[in-house]
Every structure is written in C-alpha cells, then in structure tokens.
Amino acid sequence: MECDTHTGEKVFMVCISCDKFPFACGNCLEEKHVKHEVQTLRNAAHSILQNLEKVETENVRVFKEIKSDLEGLTEIREDLKQDANNVDDEIAKRVDVIRSKIDEVNTEVIQKHKTEVGKNAESIDRTEEALKKQVAQIKTFKKKVAQLQKMNDYVDVIESGREVKVPDTNRIPRPDIQALTFSPGTVRDGELKRMFGGINTMSSDFVGSIERESNIKVTPVTSFKLPKDDGIDTMFCSKPGHCWLKCKDKNTVKLLNTSGETLQAVKLETQTNGFTVTSNNRLLFCCATPQCVKKMNLPNGEITEKFSTSPLTPNYICTGPSGDIYVTLFDKNDYKLKKDSTRVLIQYNSRGLEKARCQTDVFGECLFVVPMDVFVNNKGTRVAVINEIRVNRSELVVLDQDLSPLFVYTGPSVLTGRSLSGFKINGATFDTRDNILVAEENSQTIQLLSPSCEPLKVLRAMEASPWTLSLHGNEVWVGYDEGEVDVFRYSY
C-alpha cells in the first residue's frame, strides 16, 4: 500500500499513539511519529481485531437485549395501533352517544312544539266554528225579517214574527293562543368537553376520562393506631418515614416514624387549628386566641415571632417554595354567608406582611364558605383550598400563582354507593407532577386527580373515612378519625 503523503513510499507500520491509527511509511516515522508507539500492519490488525472481539464477547447480553428491544418495537407498535384503533372506536361511540342524546332531545322538543301548535290550532278551529254558526243564524234571521217585510197581512206578520229566533249577538272572544318561543340552551365553557371526554396521558397537563391504571403502582408501607384512639386532625410530612401530626381538640404536635413511635412532642400554648413545618425546621401554627400565626423553633419549642391576623381567625396554613405563607381565615366559622362576611385566603411574605388575597369570584360574590386546608405545588404556580360549603359537602378551589380562581372541583357528577351521602374532601395535596391527591370522606377513598381535577385513579379504598393526608415525594401518610395511620407509596 502506497503512502498518501510520500509518493512512491510503501506503508509498513501503524502509529497507535495517534488518533485513528494512521498508516506510516519510513519518511512518516521520521517526520511525524518520532517517539510514538508503532506496530506492524500484522500486529496492528491482530490487536484491533482482538479488542473488537473482546468488546463483542463482553457485550453479547447487551447486544441481544438491544436486538430484542428492536424486535419488541414491532409488538409495541402493534399494541399502539390496536390501542389507537380502540380509542378511535370509543371516540366514535361517544359521538354516537352524544348525537343520540341530541336526537332524543330534538325529538322531545319538536313533539312538544307540535303539541302546543296543535292546541292553538284547536282553539282557532273552535272559535271559527262558533263564529260560522253565529253568522249562519244572523243570515237566517235577516232572511226571515225580509220575508216579513213583504207581507201585507198583519195577522201573518204577527204569527210568523213570533216564531223568528233572534240570533245571539254577543261577541265571541278571540281564541286563546299561547305564544310559542324557542329559548336556546347555553353550554358553559368546558361543559361539552367534559360531557364528551378527552385523551389522558400521564403527563402533568392531561385532561379527560381515559384512565391507564396500570401506569400507577401502589405499595403499602405500614399501618398503626395511636394508643388513645385520638382522631387525627392535621398531618405534615417533613421527610421520608417521618410525619408531624396533631389530634383533634389537642394542643400538642407530635413527630412519628413509620413504626408509630413518638420521636418528639411539642406543646402549643393555645387552641390551634392548622400547622406546617418550614424547610428550616420551624413550626408555624394558627392560633384562635389571640388571632395570630406563631413561629416556633424546633426541637426546643421556643416561640420566636408571630404576626396578627385580627379581626380574622386563622384556620389552616402552608408555605410555598419561596417561603411565602398561605393562610385561610374567616370572621365566623359557620355556613351562613352574609354580604359583609369575610372568608378569605391570604398570602403573606416570610415576615407576615400581606402580599395578596383571594376572597371573591368573578361576579364579586364570596368565593369561600369555610376555607379549610390550603396547599401549594412545588413550583408555587398553583394553590388549592378545600372549601367546606355545608356539613357533608366540600369542594376544591384551584387558583393560579396570583390567587386568581381557575376552577372549582365539586366531585363526580354522579354519586353512587357510599358517596350518596355527599362529596366531602377532608385533605388534599399536590404531588411532583402537579396531580392532586384528595382524601374523600364518604367514599372512604384516597383519589388521584389530574392538575385540571379530572379523576385518574382511586389509590386506596379504606374501611374508615380518611380525615387528613400529607405527602413527601411519593410517600403518603393518611390519618383517620379514630386514630389510625396508613402509609403507602405510589409510582408512575
């Protein structure tokens, strides 16, 4: 083989010190490859071949797996095609269902219209018949009067005139016509889409009603019961395997592990509703008397500062990723809303200065009845509040980062089984995908909702009603009314 650089020179070596192992002739060795490691063509070829054979031997399993992956794509593609065809069929069926319902309503409305038109026509016919009869009587009367006028014999006039029937001259009222109008119905924004359905994936923005339950795996971790059967009111997971909780009508917050052992107990000096723990290990809690939010250092329990919420009573509290504090507050803890009622969510900075609030809807009406638990997603772009509207009914109000209402989730449109008692969310939180976990009392379930509050999956169905829940990563802690604690994990 002739050298590419030196005409007439034959290559007989390979430089293995240079990239791509260039061929070299005698002149190349003297000019470019002084002190480089070189090999003969034969040895270089054997060395390269041995190295490649070694790679091949070491990667036999990987090569097989890659080949299997390639072959498996055919099956995946066929599955995708079949799934797509199934979805196409379901969409077509849904179109037929909606169209069928529209046809049913159309038939019903048209039939009612025909019935009402028929009633009006019958009224006109009855009036027309009565008028024709009256006109005929008048014609007969006038004819007989004309005949009497031609008679010269008074006796005949008297005798015939006594037999003439005087027609009824009372005006017949106009027919009773009921005015018919068609009032087009309205379709609220998104209502038709919810009726029809949508395409669901496991991305954070999917909406609709197609559920892939197999993509979500639920794994139980542990269950235990508190010694005194105290009902659990509020929970907060500070790290994996650990959860702070407060029992109903108690002013002590406890840190428990998954074995149910109490690692720390902190006594609060006043009646308290909601609490949370900040990233720098400080306990924030809502005080009814005095009306304020207090901050306590952990683990020593020293209260470092507070800010007043008077004249409003703080109810529940959480913090966002920026350190802002979100608090639900009310003037009265009842379901009787008045024009001057104040039921509100307020966003404070870390020093307790108000930054924003949400109190009314787009019509200026009070948005909340009794604002309960509040929680924020990991990015601080979504805020949600449990709004209790009556004894056995609550809803989920979702807001953007400016605390402007986005939508309200009132539960499934059809209630069955235990849910016939009503729909009541007792606890909720965002997960890492901005999907929302809710603890629903009457169905006794932990449910997973999409970011737009479309139901995705029932993660847990229990024998008792869940009262509160908290999440750290994918570890979920659930508290119950009689002191039970359930811990599980789920993954996508």
Side-chain angles (χ1 to χ4, degrees):
M1 176 180 177
E2 186 174 329
C3 180
D4 292 336
T5 305
H6 302 95
T7 305
E9 297 291 330
K10 298 290 185 179
V11 298
F12 60 93
M13 302 293 284
V14 172
C15 180
I16 61 175
S17 297
C18 296
D19 291 340
K20 298 184 179 179
F21 302 161
F23 295 105
C25 67
N27 291 335
C28 292
L29 294 177
E30 292 178 355
E31 295 174 1
K32 299 180 180 179
H33 304 289
V34 178
K35 296 183 180 181
H36 284 192
E37 185 177 354
V38 294
Q39 287 182 340
T40 64
L41 297 180
R42 178 181 178 182
N43 289 341
H46 282 307
S47 178
I48 290 174
L49 184 58
Q50 286 176 354
N51 289 335
L52 294 176
E53 288 173 345
K54 181 180 178 181
V55 170
E56 182 182 29
T57 301
E58 292 176 348
N59 290 277
V60 168
R61 180 181 59 82
V62 176
F63 290 166
K64 288 182 179 179
E65 289 177 351
I66 292 174
K67 183 180 179 181
S68 175
D69 289 343
L70 178 60
E71 294 171 350
L73 282 179
T74 301
E75 182 179 351
I76 292 173
R77 191 184 301 277
E78 289 301 317
D79 289 343
L80 175 62
K81 184 178 179 180
Q82 184 59 48
D83 286 346
N85 289 337
N86 292 339
V87 172
D88 287 341
D89 291 343
E90 291 300 321
I91 292 173
K93 289 178 182 177
R94 191 61 184 161
V95 170
D96 291 339
V97 169
I98 298 294
R99 185 175 289 129
S100 173
K101 293 300 180 183
I102 292 174
D103 289 342
E104 287 180 15
V105 173
N106 179 49
T107 301
E108 180 181 343
V109 173
I110 289 177
Q111 184 58 48
K112 182 174 178 58
H113 180 237
K114 289 181 177 179
T115 300
E116 295 302 321
V117 170
K119 290 179 180 178
N120 282 337
E122 289 176 1
S123 179
I124 293 173
D125 290 343
R126 287 194 299 270
T127 303
E128 183 181 34
E129 184 178 350
L131 286 172
K132 286 181 177 179
K133 184 177 180 180
Q134 192 176 37
V135 169
Q137 291 175 349
I138 292 172
K139 286 182 177 180
T140 301
F141 173 76
K142 293 178 69 175
K143 183 179 180 180
K144 289 185 176 181
V145 170
Q147 292 174 348
L148 290 175
Q149 289 174 340
K150 294 179 181 180
M151 292 182 181
N152 296 320
D153 189 332
Y154 296 134
V155 174
D156 290 341
V157 170
I158 292 171
E159 288 180 347
S160 298
R162 286 185 304 190
E163 300 299 326
V164 175
K165 186 176 181 180
V166 178
D168 181 7
T169 57
N170 292 322
R171 296 287 301 277
I172 296 175
R174 294 174 62 86
D176 182 17
I177 302 299
Q178 301 295 321
L180 303 180
T181 59
F182 176 71
S183 301
T186 59
V187 179
R188 295 181 181 177
D189 183 30
E191 184 174 321
L192 182 59
K193 186 174 182 179
R194 287 193 297 274
M195 290 169 58
F196 188 86
I199 300 299
N200 286 357
T201 68
M202 291 312 298
S203 63
S204 62
D205 60 347
F206 83 78
V207 298
S209 57
I210 299 177
E211 180 179 321
R212 295 189 177 185
E213 294 190 1
S214 59
N215 288 343
I216 303 175
K217 181 181 179 181
V218 179
T219 306
V221 175
T222 186
S223 295
F224 58 86
K225 191 170 185 178
L226 300 182
K228 296 183 179 180
D229 296 343
D230 290 330
I232 301 171
D233 179 66
T234 313
M235 307 178 84
F236 181 82
C237 290
S238 55
K239 57 183 179 180
H242 296 77
C243 186
W244 291 90
L245 62 83
K246 187 180 80 69
C247 295
K248 293 181 181 180
D249 302 321
K250 303 289 184 180
N251 288 328
T252 300
V253 177
K254 298 179 180 180
L255 178 62
L256 276 64
N257 60 19
T258 51
S259 299
E261 298 173 320
T262 300
L263 305 180
Q264 184 179 353
V266 179
K267 288 188 176 181
L268 308 178
E269 61 184 22
T270 182
Q271 179 183 348
T272 303
N273 290 327
F275 76 90
T276 190
V277 178
T278 65
S279 58
N280 59 354
N281 208 30
R282 290 187 175 182
L283 178 70
L284 298 178
F285 58 99
C286 300
C287 302
T289 308
Q291 296 165 318
C292 66
V293 172
K294 293 186 178 182
K295 185 181 295 184
M296 175 187 290
N297 284 334
L298 296 174
N300 59 22
E302 176 189 0
I303 295 178
T304 57
E305 56 185 295
K306 66 179 179 181
F307 62 88
S308 174
T309 61
S310 181
L312 300 177
T313 301
N315 201 13
Y316 284 83
I317 187 170
C318 76
T319 57
S322 65
D324 285 347
I325 303 169
Y326 298 80
V327 186
T328 56
L329 307 100
F330 51 74
D331 51 359
K332 289 185 178 180
N333 188 8
D334 59 32
Y335 305 118
K336 299 177 181 179
L337 281 180
K338 300 179 181 179
K339 289 185 178 181
D340 58 349
S341 294
T342 304
R343 319 290 170 89
V344 63
L345 167 68
I346 299 182
Q347 178 184 0
Y348 300 92
N349 65 15
S350 58
R351 292 174 294 150
L353 299 178
E354 181 175 335
K355 294 179 64 175
R357 66 169 53 200
C358 176
Q359 184 174 350
T360 59
D361 58 21
V362 294
F363 302 106
E365 300 293 332
C366 196
L367 181 63
F368 303 110
V369 180
V370 180
M372 302 291 285
D373 208 352
V374 55
F375 50 103
V376 184
N377 68 355
N378 292 335
K379 294 172 286 189
T381 55
R382 288 286 177 92
V383 184
V385 178
I386 298 174
N387 182 31
E388 197 169 290
I389 54 180
R390 56 179 182 267
V391 174
N392 208 36
R393 189 78 179 174
S394 63
E395 58 191 19
L396 193 66
V397 181
V398 181
L399 310 104
D400 64 15
Q401 59 189 358
D402 299 320
L403 303 191
S404 298
L406 295 176
F407 39 80
V408 177
Y409 179 61
T410 59
S413 58
V414 177
L415 299 178
T416 61
R418 292 171 177 163
S419 297
L420 288 171
S421 301
F423 182 81
K424 186 176 182 183
I425 299 175
N426 287 333
T429 187
F430 286 104
D431 72 3
T432 55
R433 296 191 177 201
D434 285 350
N435 291 329
I436 306 172
L437 281 83
V438 296
E440 203 284 308
E441 178 177 330
N442 295 301
S443 64
Q444 300 179 348
T445 58
I446 305 300
Q447 303 174 20
L448 186 65
L449 311 176
S450 77
S452 55
C453 291
E454 296 288 340
L456 302 183
K457 183 180 178 68
V458 173
L459 296 180
R460 297 283 275 174
M462 311 304 294
E463 295 299 324
S465 296
W467 207 254
T468 181
L469 64 79
S470 185
L471 171 73
H472 192 285
N474 68 340
E475 184 177 276
V476 185
W477 287 62
V478 185
Y480 295 87
D481 192 30
E482 295 186 358
E484 297 94 342
V485 175
D486 180 46
V487 184
F488 67 91
R489 295 188 182 95
Y490 71 101
S491 57
Y492 294 97

